[in-house]
Amino acid sequence: AISACEKGGQWQQSLSLLLMMHELEIQPDVVSLNAAISSCEKTGEWQQALAAFVGLGEANIHPNIVSFSASISACEKGCQWEMAMFFYN
């Protein structure tokens, strides 16, 4: 469902689904969090994308190349090169 939100540009819905998963005590995986990051990235919501990236660590999920790529791209779209540099350290 979160991937469908990503494809449809529905970043708010993707984050709502993650919140619902948390409320229902369902552990998200890296794929669902990456889809949420990507949905935010595609719509220029760089702050939300980074918040979702932080959610990876809070959920004890290791980010993968998709996580980093989508987060860096979100920073680029938001003209936040300083934030993008964080991912290179």
Side-chain angles (χ1 to χ4, degrees), residues 6-85:
E6 172 196 357
K7 289 174 180 53
Q10 300 294 317
W11 68 271
Q12 301 101 327
Q13 188 66 26
S14 69
L15 296 180
S16 292
L17 288 170
L18 283 178
L19 180 61
M20 187 181 305
M21 289 176 73
H22 177 74
E23 290 171 353
L24 296 172
E25 298 181 7
I26 299 170
Q27 179 69 25
D29 60 8
V30 72
V31 174
S32 56
L33 281 163
N34 284 347
I37 293 169
S38 292
S39 69
C40 295
E41 174 264 329
K42 289 179 180 175
T43 56
E45 297 292 332
W46 67 271
Q47 293 168 314
Q48 298 298 328
L50 296 185
F53 184 90
V54 169
L56 287 167
E58 292 173 355
N60 217 13
I61 298 170
H62 298 288
N64 61 18
I65 190 71
V66 175
S67 313
F68 286 103
S69 178
S71 297
I72 291 168
S73 180
C75 291
E76 177 216 352
K77 288 181 179 174
C79 298
Q80 299 296 317
W81 65 268
E82 299 96 344
M83 295 300 293
M85 294 304 292

